[in-house]
Each structure stands twice: as structure tokens, then as C-alpha cells.
Amino acid sequence: MNMNRRGFIKTSIAGAVGAALYGSHALAAHHGGKKRVVVVGGGIGGATTAKYIKKYDPSIDVTLIEPNPHYYTCFMSNEVLGGHRQMDSIRFDYEGLKKKGIRVVQDTVTDIDAAGQIVRTASGKTYQYDRCVVSPGVDFKYEAIPGYSKAVAESSIPHAWKAGPQTEMLRKQLEAMPDGGTFVMVPPPNPFRCPPGPYERVSQIASYFKEHKPNCKIVILDPKNKFSKFGLFMDGWKRHYGYGTDKSMITWIPADKGGKVIKIDPDTKTVHAEAGTFKADVLNIIPPQKAGAIAFKTGLTKGDWCPVDHMTFESTLKKNIHVVGDSSIASPLPKSGYAANSEAKICAAAIVSLLNGKKMPEPSWVNTCYSIIAPGDGISVAMVYAYENGKIIKVKGSGGLTGKYDPELRKREEMYAHSWFNNITADVFG
Amino acid sequence: MVKLKRLTLPVMLTVGVMGAGSALAGGVDRAAILANTCAGCHGPDGVSTGPATPSIAGLPEEYFIDVMKMFQEGERRNTIMGRIAKGYTDEEIELMAKYFAKLPHRPAAQKFDPVKAKYGKKLHEKYCEKCHEEGGRVADSSGPLAGQWKPYLQFTLDDFINGHSEVDKKMKKKLSKLIRKEGMDGVRAVLEYYASEQK
Ligand SMILES: Cc1cc2nc3c(=O)[nH]c(=O)nc-3n(C[C@H](O)[C@H](O)[C@H](O)COP(=O)(O)OP(=O)(O)OC[C@H]3O[C@@H](n4cnc5c(N)ncnc54)[C@H](O)[C@@H]3O)c2cc1C
């Protein structure tokens, strides 16, 4: 298998990539000797790119533009919902990046002039760049679910698919819920940010109910017939939450059983689905997703997402602008934090190589997503990715899922999940 | 299982393997590209902030290669490294081994029991110092034990003891002797000692 991969890379690197890196991209213009990179969005993809550009070449002038003074990680926000962790443990600031010499600007990017290579912000400032990196995460198609809207999300029915006030709102609602109440979740259709996320959330909330409100029920109205880590979640739900029995805390209604939602009534938190009408005490709607708004405005999108070159993450639609993270089309890499972090490092290496007229080494990526089904029961999915024939590919023989239930190893995976959280956040913001 | 060695790409390796900075005159090398994908779990530059995942900075080259092979072959019990290690060719593993061997090991800031640690030091000297020299600080036959995350060392030793992982025969003998004489408390005391070595 490796032989095959080797053969492909040899030709593709020598040919296509060599040409791409040397032919079409001339050396960057020098502004007072310094090359300038502007990064839009201080989330996982943006912050990592900024940090690794500085790490690989400290002489490059790096500006990171992000509207919020703090970043709340989505990962482990489900543990906040489960009551196993506090909000402040998922909050990070930009002091670490500032210490590394990155200029962090608190502002919102309103416009990117691709031809003029200028970024404009809400406060009226402009930033010239040699290379721009865009990592705005996802936006929501609220309108896809009649009755739902941004206003409803912010006042009473959170999506909690961007961590922060939304997470807090959902946690408070769960705390206020009576024992015997019903929590209804509407997960999104593919593709979306963090494929196992909704089901990890259900697990976490179930663990909270099991301990504090054992008569509560969870109903999932899913537009899909299958989901990430399906077998592992099903097995875990059976062991912990009676799934499949008449005492099951969790009811999962897939698309082919009428899981598709027709509309909601936000005032009564009632969901009208193909399978019938469901009245919720707490309702969580995770709408269908698309690239962040600034990507659309800049003309970086084709359909809902941004096509990019898989070696440099440069947009195939706009020169000198790179897109990483959830907004980019990097499949088979999923829309995850680990993937965003991994893509960002390759993008940083490509930008440094391009700006210095150097060869870009052959890229490599890793993805892992841990989920905690119940305290002491951690699972994961992992994969190593390589570059072949101009595309990101899964390395055959690598990766896969946690094996069958082994209590000792599941405990270890929970500890390793927490270690992963500490290490990836140190890698992004530290 | 026979691994086909991947050839070195003539076009990519313009610079050799470098240390922590990993940037040379604006270039990025392939070893850094590979190694930096591990940081999400093992920490930036191979130094883990814990509480369990091991630091891999400063692992001796040979040991790093051996352990990655053991993960590939399932000879070391693991939760995830088998799935990861199978993604790399021998040559890629060698590149990463060289890269991480040059990075400085930084002892983990972790809790320990000072009384047990003191006793553990004695036990270490009697049973383990011969191969894990200077209180386990010298990384030679394995990674540094001093300052490695305690849960990781505990899991690894448990797997050695229970026969879930293959281990150096002489090491196994000493470990068994320690357990015979001191019980699992003896093992725990040694681990407290390694955790106490934070300088
Ligand atoms: C509940 C949940 C659990 C998850 N768990 C995991 C997990 O266990 N493991 C994992 O790997 N991933 C997980 N993820 C996925 C992970 O959070 C995302 O994939 C990751 O954050 C993507 O990074 P990004 O840079 O694309 O977007 P983000 O991290 O969302 O960053 C985007 C940033 O851009 C900023 N921005 C947007 N527009 C502008 C603009 N116009 N100007 C300036 N700034 C702008 C935003 O303020 C934001 O800070 C989870 C997600 C959720 C929702």
C-alpha cells in the first residue's frame, strides 16, 4: 500500500505542486522588507495558523483579527452541559499569541478586497496583506427550519453550536428542567461541524439526568439515518441509559422513521416532525450549516463551503487568500477542531514556503475526536491523512474507532481525552 | 509484517532535521510537518500538559522507533497509538524519532506524595537505577521516567505486569522482584518518586 502511495506522490509533487509553488506564484512583494499575513478569525484554525507562521518564520508580520476578547472552545462544552465542567475551563484569551509577537486586533472583518489585497474592518481600519488566511468557522441556515431564527436562538431555543453564551443558556435551561421533563434535540444534516458532537451531547446530558433527574427523557429528531461512531454510541447508550429497552432514557428517531422536522413553534417549544408532534421542556436545535459569512462576501464559496488547494489551502477561487477550518472543503478531513489545527499548520508551512520562495514539504495531517459517553467511558475516532495526486487521502491501514468495550481502556481514554483538550488548547493559544 | 520503505523525495528535503525552532532561512522541513501533527495530543514540541498523555520530547531515537513499531504490531497495549502509528512508513517514523530526540524533555508539574516518593527513591535505586540511570532522568533504554506523567507510567507498568504488553525480559524480572518483595505499593512508591522529580 505504501508503495502505491509513494508512486503517486513522486509524480504529483515533482509535477503539479512544483509548478504551483514556483510557477504561478511570484515572490511576495516586500513592504518595508516585511511580508504581511492577515488572519481573519481567532478560533482554532485562525489562531493556529497565526502561531505556526510565527513559529516557522518570526520575520513575517502576522495580524490576527477577531471580534471577541475570549474564545470559548466548542470542545468540552458538552461536558459543561453535562455539569462535569465549568465555563471558565473552556475560556481562552489571546495573551499567549501576543507574547509570540502576533498583533491581535479586536475587530470584525467586514470586507476583503482580493484584488487589492486589503482587509477592512467594522471600525473602519484597513490591513494590507501578501497572504490572507480566513477561518471564520460555520454559520447557520436558520431559515431551513421554519419557526427557528437567530432571534429565537438567542432568546429561548439555543443551538449551542458555538460555545459561550449559547452554552450557558442551554445549561441553565437543563438545570431548571423538572424531573420527568423532556429534552428534544434536532441535529443537523451532513456536512456539519463535529460529526459526533450531537451524540456526545446527548450522552453528556443523559449522564446529568441519570444522576440528578432520572425521570427525564431525551428525544432526538434526526434528519439522518446514521451518524459518526454509531455503533459505539449505541452500545454506550445501551449500557448506561437503557437504550433499546422500554425504560430507555433516549429515543432516537432517524429520518426513515420520521425524524425530519417540518416546523417548530418557538413559543411552546413544540416540534412538528414527520413522525408527529413533540413538546419539549428544553429544546436544542442545531441548524444546517455553511461557511462563515465573510467567506460568502469575499466570493470564496462554491455551494455552501470554500474549495481550496489541498496542499496550500489557498482558495481555488481567489488568489492569495487561504481558507482553513470548518469553512474549507478539506474532505476526507472532517470539520473538527483537531482537523482545523492540523490544516492550519500545513497552511502556515505553505504560506511561509511561498513567501520565502522555498519548497513546501509533503504535507501530513491527523484527526482525532474523543467523546465521553458517561463518566469513565471515553471513546475516540482517529485517522492519519496524506497527500496524493493533489488530494488529501486517508492513509490505508491507519485510524479507526475505539475497540469493543473494555472498562479499563475506556477509563484511560477519558483521561486521554482530557489531556487532549489541555494539549490542543496549549498548542492553539499557549 | 514487512514494511516497504518509502524513498526520500528528492524535491522535498531541502533542509535537514532541525530542533525546536524548526525554521531555517524561511523553510519548513518535512520532519517538523510530521511531528507537529502530534502536538494536539502530546503538546506543543512534544511536551504534554497532562494529566495523562505522555510527553514525547527527548525520547531516544532508537526507543521511539521501537515503541512506534510495537504500537503498529500491537505488542504494546494502547488506546489509540496503534491506530496512529499504522499511518507512517519506517522512514517517516525515523524522521520523527530524530526530531523529537532533539527536543528538550520538560518534567511535568504534577502532584505527588512526598513520603511515598522518598521510599520510592530507595526502591528505584535497588531495582531500576541500573537501566534507568540518574533517578530515571537519563533517557537511554526508554524515555525519561523522571517527570513523565504518572498515570501514563502506571498504565504502562500495569500492562507489563499483566502481560498485556511485551517488555524487556530483564526489566520484567526486576519489576516482578519489586512486586514480590514490596507488592503493588512498591510500584506506586517508585512512580511517586518519578513524579517528584520536577527539576
Ligand atoms: C459541541 C461541539 C463539540 C465539539 N467537540 C470537538 C471535539 O471533541 N474535537 C474536535 O476536534 N472538534 C470538536 N468540535 C469542532 C470544533 O470546535 C470546530 O471544528 C473548530 O472550532 C473549527 O475551527 P474554525 O477555526 O474553523 O472555527 P472557530 O473555532 O469557530 O473559529 C472561528 C472564529 O472566527 C471568528 N470570526 C468569524 N467571522 C469573523 C469576521 N468576519 N471577522 C473576524 N473574525 C471572525 C469567530 O469569532 C471565531 O472566533 C466541536 C464542536 C462543537 C459545536
Side-chain angles (χ1 to χ4, degrees):
Chain A
M1 62 158 189
N2 286 329
M3 226 21 199
N4 251 339
R5 182 144 79 84
R6 164 91 359 266
F8 274 124
I9 290 165
K10 216 173 192 170
T11 46
S12 72
I13 293 226
V17 175
L21 292 183
Y22 281 104
S24 53
H25 304 273
L27 262 182
H30 290 240
H31 306 277
K34 277 214 164 188
K35 295 146 216 149
R36 290 179 286 188
V37 176
V38 175
V39 181
V40 181
I44 304 305
T48 308
T49 313
K51 184 172 165 181
Y52 273 77
I53 288 174
K54 265 289 181 207
K55 183 179 163 90
Y56 288 138
D57 184 352
S59 79
I60 295 174
D61 186 87
V62 182
T63 302
L64 175 69
I65 307 176
E66 160 66 42
N68 303 307
H70 292 109
Y71 179 83
Y72 288 91
T73 60
C74 284
F75 28 89
M76 294 297 165
S77 68
N78 285 333
E79 280 206 340
V80 174
L81 298 178
H84 302 296
R85 145 189 312 271
Q86 298 300 315
M87 281 302 286
D88 61 1
S89 76
I90 60 166
R91 186 180 65 222
F92 296 86
D93 64 29
Y94 296 96
E95 295 310 310
L97 295 185
K98 286 181 195 162
K99 278 196 204 108
K100 297 221 146 57
I102 294 157
R103 180 157 50 138
V104 181
V105 177
Q106 198 183 326
D107 210 339
T108 302
V109 173
T110 50
D111 183 66
I112 304 171
D113 171 359
Q117 296 179 220
I118 296 168
V119 166
R120 293 193 187 83
T121 65
S123 71
K125 300 229 168 54
T126 58
Y127 300 85
Q128 188 88 39
Y129 62 80
D130 296 299
R131 294 267 159 187
C132 179
V133 179
V134 177
S135 189
V138 294
D139 261 352
F140 301 109
K141 299 183 188 173
Y142 294 102
E143 68 288 352
I145 296 175
Y148 199 48
S149 65
K150 191 166 191 283
V152 170
E154 281 165 7
S155 63
S156 60
I157 303 175
H159 51 71
W161 219 241
K162 290 185 184 186
Q166 284 277 302
T167 315
E168 246 162 337
M169 188 198 295
L170 184 51
R171 175 63 195 162
K172 286 209 179 95
Q173 291 181 357
L174 291 165
E175 281 171 0
M177 204 171 140
D179 190 7
T182 302
F183 169 70
V184 178
M185 172 193 272
V186 180
N190 294 322
F192 64 98
R193 151 179 289 184
C194 194
Y199 313 96
E200 180 194 54
R201 173 170 294 177
V202 164
S203 309
Q204 283 291 321
I205 291 174
S207 85
Y208 167 67
F209 287 162
K210 189 176 172 179
E211 198 181 337
H212 299 280
K213 295 165 188 174
N215 299 308
C216 285
K217 295 284 178 206
I218 299 176
V219 176
I220 311 163
L221 294 165
D222 208 324
K224 306 181 293 299
N225 285 324
K226 228 190 152 190
F227 52 80
S228 171
K229 302 180 188 167
F230 188 79
L232 287 168
F233 277 116
M234 288 290 157
D235 168 67
W237 290 353
K238 277 180 197 148
R239 279 185 292 104
H240 298 288
Y241 313 117
Y243 190 76
T245 68
D246 54 2
K247 293 223 163 56
S248 181
M249 178 182 278
I250 303 168
T251 305
W252 175 63
I253 305 176
D256 60 11
K257 297 261 156 55
K260 261 197 94 198
V261 168
I262 299 157
K263 62 168 185 181
I264 67 156
D265 177 2
D267 296 331
T268 58
K269 294 193 179 168
T270 302
V271 184
H272 300 275
E274 286 173 0
T277 299
F278 298 82
K279 166 97 180 64
D281 293 281
V282 175
L283 180 54
N284 175 212
I285 294 188
I286 309 164
Q289 290 155 38
K290 59 184 177 185
I294 191 68
F296 283 90
K297 190 154 185 220
T298 312
L300 297 167
T301 50
K302 193 177 168 196
D304 288 335
W305 309 100
C306 306
V308 293
D309 177 277
H310 276 184
M311 176 173 263
T312 61
F313 287 84
E314 184 170 2
S315 165
T316 56
L317 303 174
K318 299 280 174 190
K319 285 229 160 313
N320 304 317
I321 302 180
H322 301 245
V323 186
V324 294
D326 291 345
S327 279
S328 69
I329 302 173
S331 171
L333 277 166
K335 299 191 187 301
S336 80
Y338 205 113
N341 172 263
S342 202
E343 291 159 14
K345 290 171 193 174
I346 294 304
C347 178
I351 286 177
V352 166
S353 303
L354 286 162
L355 290 177
N356 290 308
K358 297 276 161 133
K359 284 158 191 143
M360 167 68 186
E362 183 192 340
S364 174
W365 301 264
V366 167
N367 178 59
T368 302
C369 282
Y370 281 107
S371 304
I372 296 166
I373 309 178
D377 194 350
I379 55 169
S380 59
V381 60
M383 185 59 67
V384 180
Y385 300 83
Y387 183 80
E388 180 178 291
N389 253 4
K391 288 258 174 257
I392 300 169
I393 56 140
K394 295 179 180 180
V395 176
K396 278 207 195 84
S398 78
L401 298 158
T402 295
K404 73 172 193 316
Y405 184 62
D406 176 329
E408 164 62 22
L409 293 183
R410 294 295 178 93
K411 263 191 217 118
R412 289 187 194 177
E413 284 226 82
E414 184 190 40
M415 278 186 100
Y416 288 137
H418 292 148
S419 303
W420 163 78
F421 174 73
N422 293 337
N423 281 320
I424 194 165
T425 53
D427 193 39
V428 177
F429 298 106
Chain B
M1 174 182 159
V2 184
K3 280 250 146 187
L4 294 171
K5 283 218 170 192
R6 286 172 64 176
L7 305 166
T8 304
L9 294 184
V11 55
M12 75 188 187
L13 288 172
T14 49
V15 282
V17 178
M18 287 162 297
S22 68
L24 188 71
V28 183
D29 64 287
R30 166 87 168 140
I33 294 271
L34 290 165
N36 286 332
T37 65
C38 320
C41 284
H42 286 289
D45 298 320
V47 178
S48 170
T49 42
T53 306
S55 287
I56 54 173
L59 291 187
E61 226 177 293
E62 206 182 315
Y63 171 72
F64 183 101
I65 295 168
D66 282 353
V67 80
M68 290 293 275
K69 296 261 161 70
M70 288 192 278
F71 284 137
Q72 287 180 334
E73 305 295 333
E75 291 163 7
R76 262 257 184 140
R77 194 176 189 222
N78 64 85
T79 57
I80 205 160
M81 276 310 293
R83 291 179 267 160
I84 303 279
K86 283 179 192 151
Y88 302 96
T89 62
D90 292 354
E91 186 155 52
E92 287 166 336
I93 289 172
E94 282 159 28
L95 275 176
M96 290 193 277
K98 280 204 182 71
Y99 185 90
F100 282 111
K102 288 192 183 120
L103 295 178
H105 168 71
R106 298 197 200 288
Q110 58 189 325
K111 286 199 197 112
F112 62 92
D113 177 333
V115 179
K116 280 193 189 147
K118 215 173 147 198
Y119 188 56
K121 182 172 194 282
K122 283 208 187 98
L123 297 178
H124 167 82
E125 276 155 10
K126 190 162 172 198
Y127 296 98
C128 322
E129 172 70 19
K130 193 169 161 256
C131 302
H132 302 284
E133 289 168 75
E134 292 177 31
R137 282 191 175 83
V138 174
D140 182 11
S141 48
S142 80
L145 304 182
Q148 183 58 284
W149 286 100
K150 190 166 57 184
Y152 167 72
L153 292 180
Q154 177 76 64
F155 299 153
T156 306
L157 287 182
D158 285 349
D159 292 343
F160 289 162
I161 293 162
N162 298 328
H164 289 309
S165 296
E166 284 181 20
V167 63
D168 181 270
K169 280 205 182 69
K170 285 189 194 134
M171 147 114 196
K172 178 100 198 237
K173 247 175 141 172
K174 287 281 183 184
L175 191 57
S176 305
K177 201 166 166 197
L178 167 67
I179 294 166
R180 241 185 357 261
K181 295 264 162 78
E182 308 278 342
M184 283 308 285
D185 280 348
V187 176
R188 268 176 232 122
V190 173
L191 294 181
E192 292 301 321
Y193 168 55
Y194 299 142
S196 76
E197 298 178 286
Q198 303 197 357
K199 286 197 297 268

